[in-house]
């Protein structure tokens, strides 16, 4: 999930409006239903064929602290862990997002979206080999998870300079998800990767 523009300026953080805002966040996280983590490497959102531009979003310290407070009181809150990981990722704080995503995975070890987000955060944190291992774990959870195959191709190509491995990942994506919304982009990546 990508976060939306925060209408509250830092100056307003101490006002009653900020309290209402934090109350909404707390209510959202505690509420029913599971939030799907963001797709950090997305063919739809990536400029050209690059990985989603990190750090483009501004996340307030108050917003991050609200999720931390929820987790301090309820360490088994999967929603809060997932959202905090996503917010840290969106802020470009990949090393900080890693342990939070790991916490979420301890709560739901079969959550392929969180597993893939963790692998992507590892890649951005400079841990390419760990990222690849994590994405392999994601594929053990769901061998047909298209976003994992897409991310795997990008990381193989950009992180390992493995054009052949990248092409294989993208070809597999098209096999397991023939209706992938950005299939034409994936085909173009395959053609460009020789």
């Amino acid at each position: 999930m990508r976060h939306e523009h925060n209408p509250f300026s830092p100056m307003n953080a101490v006002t009653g409006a900020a309290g209402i805002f934090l109350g909404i966040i707390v209510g959202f996280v505690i509420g029913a239903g599971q939030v799907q983590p963001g797709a950090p490497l997305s063919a739809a959102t990536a400029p050209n064929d690059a990985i989603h531009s990190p750090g483009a979003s501004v996340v307030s310290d108050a917003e991050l602290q609200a999720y931390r407070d929820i987790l301090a009181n309820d360490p088994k809150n999967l929603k809060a862990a997932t959202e905090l990981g996503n917010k840290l990722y969106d802020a470009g704080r990949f090393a900080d997002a890693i342990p939070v995503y790991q916490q979420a995975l301890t709560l739901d070890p079969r959550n392929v979206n969180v597993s893939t987000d963790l692998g992507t955060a590892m890649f951005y944190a400079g841990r390419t080999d760990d990222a690849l291992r994590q994405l392999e774990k994601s594929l053990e959870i769901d061998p047909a998870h298209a976003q994992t195959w897409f991310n795997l191709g990008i990381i193989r190509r950009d992180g390992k300079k493995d054009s052949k491995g990248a092409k294989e990942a993208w070809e597999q994506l098209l096999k397991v998800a023939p209706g992938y919304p950005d299939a034409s982009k994936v085909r173009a990546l395959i053609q460009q990767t020789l």
Side-chain angles (χ1 to χ4, degrees):
M1 181 172 124
R2 311 304 343 143
H3 56 253
E4 298 175 14
H5 174 69
N6 182 352
F8 298 100
S9 71
M11 225 172 13
N12 291 337
V14 295
T15 67
I20 292 169
F21 177 69
L22 290 175
I24 291 169
I25 291 172
V26 170
F28 173 75
V29 172
I30 293 174
Q34 180 177 338
V35 173
Q36 291 297 320
L41 297 179
S42 170
T45 60
N48 299 319
D49 65 335
I51 294 176
H52 165 72
S53 177
S57 301
V58 177
V59 179
S60 73
D61 289 338
E63 188 175 10
L64 295 175
Q65 191 58 49
Y67 287 110
R68 287 187 183 108
D69 290 346
I70 292 166
L71 285 171
N73 292 320
D74 183 8
K76 293 185 179 184
N77 189 318
L78 176 61
K79 265 181 154 175
T82 301
E83 281 301 303
L84 179 57
N86 289 342
K87 298 296 182 184
L88 290 166
Y89 178 97
D90 289 344
R93 295 173 56 182
F94 308 110
D96 293 336
I98 291 169
V100 179
Y101 281 140
Q102 289 170 328
Q103 179 181 0
L105 274 180
T106 63
L107 300 171
D108 184 4
R110 304 227 13 108
N111 189 320
V112 69
N113 293 315
V114 171
S115 179
T116 298
D117 290 351
L118 171 59
T120 306
M122 289 173 167
F123 174 67
Y124 276 130
R127 296 171 48 184
T128 300
D129 291 332
D130 290 337
L132 291 170
R133 280 190 290 276
Q134 188 61 47
L135 292 182
E136 292 296 333
K137 290 178 184 178
S138 296
L139 293 173
E140 289 173 12
I141 297 168
D142 182 358
H145 193 255
Q147 195 62 53
T148 302
W149 284 110
F150 182 84
N151 296 7
L152 186 60
I154 295 289
I155 293 172
R156 283 179 177 171
R157 185 194 67 186
D158 296 346
K160 297 302 272 185
K161 308 302 180 207
D162 177 8
S163 296
K164 181 181 177 196
K167 186 176 177 181
E168 289 171 356
W170 293 324
E171 287 171 343
Q172 186 64 25
L173 182 160
L174 294 175
K175 286 179 188 172
V176 300
Y180 188 64
D182 292 305
S184 61
K185 182 175 187 168
V186 173
R187 285 187 198 90
L189 286 172
I190 291 169
Q191 291 300 316
Q192 295 168 5
T193 306
L194 303 174

